[in-house]
Amino acid sequence: MIIRYALFEGEIHSGRETEFRQFVKDRLVPLWTQFPGAEEIRILDGTIRDEGAPAYAMALAIRYPDMAACELALQSPIRSESRQVTGELLKMFTGRVHHHVFDASEYEPTRAPEE
Protein backbone atom coordinates (compact mmCIF):
# COMPACT_ATOMS: atom_id res chain seq x y z
CA MET A 1 0.00 0.00 0.00
CA ILE A 2 1.05 3.61 -0.39
CA ILE A 3 0.18 6.79 1.45
CA ARG A 4 0.23 10.17 -0.25
CA TYR A 5 0.72 13.08 2.12
CA ALA A 6 -0.09 16.73 1.54
CA LEU A 7 1.99 18.57 4.12
CA PHE A 8 0.88 22.07 5.04
CA GLU A 9 4.22 23.47 6.15
CA GLY A 10 3.65 26.80 7.83
CA GLU A 11 1.12 28.40 10.09
CA ILE A 12 -2.57 29.16 10.13
CA HIS A 13 -3.19 32.88 10.46
CA SER A 14 -3.54 33.86 14.11
CA GLY A 15 -7.13 33.74 15.29
CA ARG A 16 -8.30 31.69 12.30
CA GLU A 17 -7.38 28.22 13.57
CA THR A 18 -10.98 27.14 14.29
CA GLU A 19 -12.20 28.55 10.97
CA PHE A 20 -9.38 26.77 9.11
CA ARG A 21 -10.15 23.41 10.68
CA GLN A 22 -13.90 23.78 10.17
CA PHE A 23 -13.33 24.72 6.50
CA VAL A 24 -11.31 21.53 6.04
CA LYS A 25 -14.04 19.44 7.68
CA ASP A 26 -16.97 21.07 5.88
CA ARG A 27 -15.56 21.81 2.43
CA LEU A 28 -12.56 19.57 1.75
CA VAL A 29 -13.18 16.29 3.53
CA PRO A 30 -16.37 15.70 1.48
CA LEU A 31 -14.26 16.06 -1.68
CA TRP A 32 -11.23 14.08 -0.50
CA THR A 33 -13.43 11.15 0.55
CA GLN A 34 -14.62 10.91 -3.07
CA PHE A 35 -11.14 10.34 -4.54
CA PRO A 36 -11.36 7.13 -6.58
CA GLY A 37 -9.34 4.28 -5.12
CA ALA A 38 -8.79 5.95 -1.75
CA GLU A 39 -9.00 3.45 1.11
CA GLU A 40 -8.53 5.83 4.04
CA ILE A 41 -8.36 9.59 4.52
CA ARG A 42 -6.70 11.04 7.62
CA ILE A 43 -6.38 14.65 8.66
CA LEU A 44 -3.56 15.32 11.12
CA ASP A 45 -3.69 18.71 12.83
CA GLY A 46 -0.31 19.93 14.03
CA THR A 47 -0.16 20.52 17.77
CA ILE A 48 3.28 20.08 19.34
CA ARG A 49 6.72 19.86 17.74
CA ASP A 50 10.33 19.59 18.80
CA GLU A 51 12.16 22.83 19.43
CA GLY A 52 13.56 24.12 16.14
CA ALA A 53 11.40 21.78 14.01
CA PRO A 54 9.43 23.31 11.12
CA ALA A 55 5.74 24.04 11.75
CA TYR A 56 3.23 21.78 10.03
CA ALA A 57 -0.28 23.13 10.48
CA MET A 58 -1.84 20.04 8.94
CA ALA A 59 -1.12 16.88 7.02
CA LEU A 60 -3.56 15.09 4.76
CA ALA A 61 -2.82 11.37 4.42
CA ILE A 62 -4.64 9.31 1.79
CA ARG A 63 -4.01 5.57 1.60
CA TYR A 64 -4.21 3.78 -1.73
CA PRO A 65 -3.66 0.10 -2.53
CA ASP A 66 -0.98 0.98 -5.10
CA MET A 67 0.48 3.77 -7.22
CA ALA A 68 -1.93 3.07 -10.10
CA ALA A 69 -4.89 3.89 -7.83
CA CYS A 70 -3.12 7.04 -6.64
CA GLU A 71 -2.49 8.17 -10.22
CA LEU A 72 -6.16 7.58 -11.07
CA ALA A 73 -7.19 9.82 -8.15
CA LEU A 74 -4.71 12.52 -9.18
CA GLN A 75 -6.24 12.63 -12.67
CA SER A 76 -9.86 12.67 -11.49
CA PRO A 77 -12.16 15.69 -11.82
CA ILE A 78 -12.80 15.62 -8.06
CA ARG A 79 -9.11 16.31 -7.43
CA SER A 80 -9.29 19.36 -9.70
CA GLU A 81 -12.28 20.57 -7.74
CA SER A 82 -10.52 19.99 -4.42
CA ARG A 83 -7.50 22.00 -5.59
CA GLN A 84 -9.75 24.98 -6.29
CA VAL A 85 -11.34 24.75 -2.85
CA THR A 86 -7.90 24.35 -1.26
CA GLY A 87 -7.02 27.70 -2.84
CA GLU A 88 -9.68 29.27 -0.62
CA LEU A 89 -8.24 27.51 2.44
CA LEU A 90 -4.78 28.87 1.71
CA LYS A 91 -6.06 32.42 2.28
CA MET A 92 -6.00 31.49 5.99
CA PHE A 93 -2.48 30.04 5.85
CA THR A 94 1.08 31.24 5.39
CA GLY A 95 3.51 28.64 4.11
CA ARG A 96 3.65 26.03 1.42
CA VAL A 97 1.99 22.73 0.63
CA HIS A 98 4.07 19.87 -0.69
CA HIS A 99 3.26 16.26 -1.44
CA HIS A 100 5.12 13.05 -0.66
CA VAL A 101 4.31 9.43 -1.44
CA PHE A 102 5.47 6.67 0.91
CA ASP A 103 5.37 2.90 0.66
CA ALA A 104 3.65 1.84 3.85
CA SER A 105 3.97 -1.23 6.04
CA GLU A 106 1.82 -1.83 9.09
CA TYR A 107 2.74 -3.75 12.23
CA GLU A 108 0.83 -4.53 15.40
CA PRO A 109 2.47 -3.29 18.60
CA THR A 110 4.07 -5.91 20.82
CA ARG A 111 2.61 -6.21 24.26
CA ALA A 112 4.50 -7.33 27.34
CA PRO A 113 3.03 -10.52 28.82
CA GLU A 114 0.58 -9.85 31.62
CA GLU A 115 1.59 -11.13 35.03
Side-chain angles (χ1 to χ4, degrees):
M1 96 183 89
I2 65 159
I3 300 176
R4 184 171 189 268
Y5 284 91
L7 302 174
F8 288 68
E9 182 180 3
E11 296 185 2
I12 301 166
H13 296 167
S14 183
R16 299 192 77 184
E17 296 84 2
T18 300
E19 180 184 3
F20 181 94
R21 299 197 191 299
Q22 195 64 48
F23 186 97
V24 169
K25 183 179 177 183
D26 294 345
R27 301 276 314 276
L28 286 165
V29 169
L31 297 173
W32 293 335
T33 55
Q34 294 180 58
F35 279 19
E39 296 179 332
E40 179 185 64
I41 289 83
R42 262 184 210 219
I43 307 299
L44 303 123
D45 293 322
T47 56
I48 300 169
R49 64 183 185 274
D50 289 343
E51 185 176 327
Y56 286 92
M58 184 181 80
L60 163 65
I62 303 180
R63 187 180 73 209
Y64 296 97
D66 53 40
M67 197 60 207
C70 181
E71 289 295 334
L72 181 66
L74 294 177
Q75 296 171 17
S76 70
I78 198 72
R79 185 197 182 218
S80 297
E81 185 178 345
S82 77
R83 288 178 59 110
Q84 290 177 343
V85 176
T86 299
E88 295 176 46
L89 179 72
L90 296 179
K91 294 175 184 172
M92 296 180 254
F93 175 80
T94 299
R96 66 186 183 127
V97 179
H98 45 98
H99 297 84
H100 301 262
V101 175
F102 294 87
D103 285 319
S105 302
E106 292 184 0
Y107 304 93
E108 293 294 323
T110 334
R111 306 269 189 244
E114 294 185 29
E115 295 181 38

